[in-house]
Structure formats: C-alpha cells, structure tokens
DNA sequence: GACACTAGTTTCCTTAAAGAAACTACATGC
DNA sequence: GCATGTAGTTTCTTTAAGGAAACTAGTGTC
C-alpha cells in the first residue's frame, strides 16, 4: 500500500488552497499591485496618467491589466465626452478591500529588508 | 514640457513599491504559498511527505522551491542520520511571520468566491 | 501641414516558469 | 537480484509572461 497525503485532504485545506489561488490569480502578473496602489492614492486617473505613474509599464501591459481588473470588478472604466476623448479609471469599493492585503505585504517587505540589512555583518 | 509622474515620485511610494516587490519575489511562483501553508500545518516534514501533500507538484519544482525558501530563511533543512537518509524541512519563526499575509489572502479569496456566487443571478 | 495629445491595438521577439519522464545513488527487505 | 523507499538532479519540451516599437484614429495647436 502506498503512502498517501492526509493533511491536504481535509475540506478546510482544500478550500484554503482554492481561496489563495483565487486571490493570487486576481492579483497575478507583475503590475496589478502597482496599478492598484497607484489608483488607491490617485483616485480617478486617466490612461496616460497611469502610464506615467506606473513606472516602467508599457501601454500594452497597462491596457491588458486594466481590462483584467475591470473584468474582476476591481476598477471601473469611464469614457468621458471630452475632445480628445479621455478615459477615467477608478478603483471600486470592492477593489478597495484589497488594501489590507497590500498593506500587509508592504509591511512584510519592509521588515524583510530591515532584517536583511541587520544580518549584513 | 512633457508631463511627468508625480504621485509615484514620493519617497513613501517608491519604498512601498520596493517593499511589495520584495515580498512578491520571496513568494513568487505557483507553489510557495502552498508549501508554506502545508508546513504551517504539518510541522516538520520530509521531502516525500511534502511531495505527497502538495498536490500536483513534481520533485523538480519542490526541490527548487525549497532551496529558494531556504535561501530566504523561510524554512530550515535538516539531514537526519537515518538509513536511508531523510531530510526534514521546517518553517522558521521568520517564515511564520508570513502567516498573517497568507490568512488575509485566503480570507479575501473566500469572500471573492462568495461575491461571485451571489452575483450569479 | 507637421507635431502632440488622447487611448489604445498589433506584431514580433525574448525570457521565465513549469511539467513530464528518466536518471543517480544508496539502503532495506523478500 | 528485484522491488521499494529515501532525496533529489538532469534533460527536454511546452506554455505563459512580458517588453519594444510601430501603428490606428481622431482632435487640437502653432
């Protein structure tokens, strides 16, 4: 008889794994945290604003990531009747619920850097 | 004069972005959360135990991810003097500090799934 | 009429991540 | 001596992610 997994076979674990995967899929890629973070500070922002603020991103990536996030209801996209037309992106209240996660991640990262620094003896 | 980024140019923002990138690099890849989660429940675990518990992972990936995490001081690796030799992996106290992040992410994912479910009208 | 702005899309290319299967190497048990 | 268990490594292949540059298409400015 072969050995089998036991820990992971509990309902709790399976659901937890699925939940983590869900979140990480929504936040997948190199840029989502960065875009969300920028929108959290900047409020309503236009495409070109984001392109300038999110350092290093290209228009293709930005466009794709925003579409992704719009589908996941993290941001709204509003076309304004200006000339030339402008498009406003804004984080949704739902998207805002990501703030605690982002904060924790930022805090951990800062502490990590501190710890690395201290161990440089 | 071209328009320039302003929001992201603050010290605070730059550091925050760096901190987030640090964390995400430490947790990068498909498997780290899963492995850490398993070790958090399982305590000391051997290579083959992890291979069985972390559903779907192959030995190459597991080996690589564990090496990564050992370098980042999230887990310890102890070779036991048994025959055949066994190797014990355990999460460090430092690795344990990731627990709040993982919890938040899991909670958010669960809430997300709930929300999706409700909007299925 | 050339240039700059708006918001993207398209094409082409490179790199990184991941997986499957085979292989090393040693030990125990039947 | 053959299967099974330990802990990985190696090779080969596929897939996904990301980036640079050019392009569309319309408006306004000098």
């Amino acid at each position: 008889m072969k050995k089998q997994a036991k820990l992971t076979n509990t309902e709790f674990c399976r659901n937890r794994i699925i939940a983590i995967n869900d979140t990480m899929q929504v936040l997948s890629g190199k840029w989502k945290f960065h875009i969300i973070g920028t929108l959290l500070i900047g409020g309503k922002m236009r495409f070109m604003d984001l392109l300038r603020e999110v350092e290093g991103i290209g228009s293709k990536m930005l466009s794709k990531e925003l579409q992704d996030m719009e589908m996941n209801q993290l941001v709204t996209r509003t076309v304004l009747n200006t000339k030339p037309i402008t498009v406003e992106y804004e984080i949704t209240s739902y998207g805002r619920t990501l703030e605690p996660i982002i904060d924790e991640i930022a805090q951990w990262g800062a502490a990590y850097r501190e710890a690395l620094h201290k161990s440089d003896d």
Side-chain angles (χ1 to χ4, degrees), chain A:
Chain A
M1 185 122 106
K2 282 196 180 175
K3 287 188 185 177
Q4 282 193 329
K6 339 176 187 175
L7 299 173
T8 326
N9 272 334
T10 66
E11 190 80 9
F12 174 77
C13 274
R14 290 186 174 281
N15 285 339
R16 198 179 157 86
I17 290 160
I18 289 167
I20 291 171
N21 286 345
D22 281 355
T23 308
M24 293 321 291
Q25 205 171 314
V26 166
L27 295 176
S28 68
K30 196 177 168 183
W31 298 107
K32 299 238 174 59
F33 281 103
H34 204 331
I35 296 170
I36 293 170
T38 307
L39 282 170
L40 279 171
I41 313 171
K44 290 180 183 173
M45 295 181 74
R46 286 173 302 152
F47 187 83
M48 290 305 285
D49 291 333
L50 281 167
L51 201 55
R52 277 185 288 263
E53 294 292 343
V54 180
E55 208 179 301
I57 200 171
S59 53
K60 185 186 100 176
M61 271 297 123
L62 180 57
S63 168
K64 195 211 119 210
E65 297 292 63
L66 286 169
Q67 277 173 35
D68 254 42
M69 290 163 66
E70 199 194 347
M71 276 202 299
N72 288 323
Q73 289 164 24
L74 303 183
V75 300
T76 54
R77 178 181 182 275
T78 318
V79 179
L80 298 180
N81 190 21
T82 53
K83 17 185 182 160
I85 55 153
T86 48
V87 180
E88 243 173 33
Y89 290 93
E90 192 177 11
I91 198 152
T92 61
S93 58
Y94 188 53
R96 248 171 232 287
T97 62
L98 285 166
E99 217 169 350
I101 293 180
I102 298 178
D103 284 345
E104 290 261 20
I105 288 173
Q107 263 184 275
W108 195 91
Y112 177 72
R113 198 157 269 262
E114 272 276 299
L116 277 188
H117 192 68
K118 274 183 188 164
S119 68
D120 269 354
D121 297 323

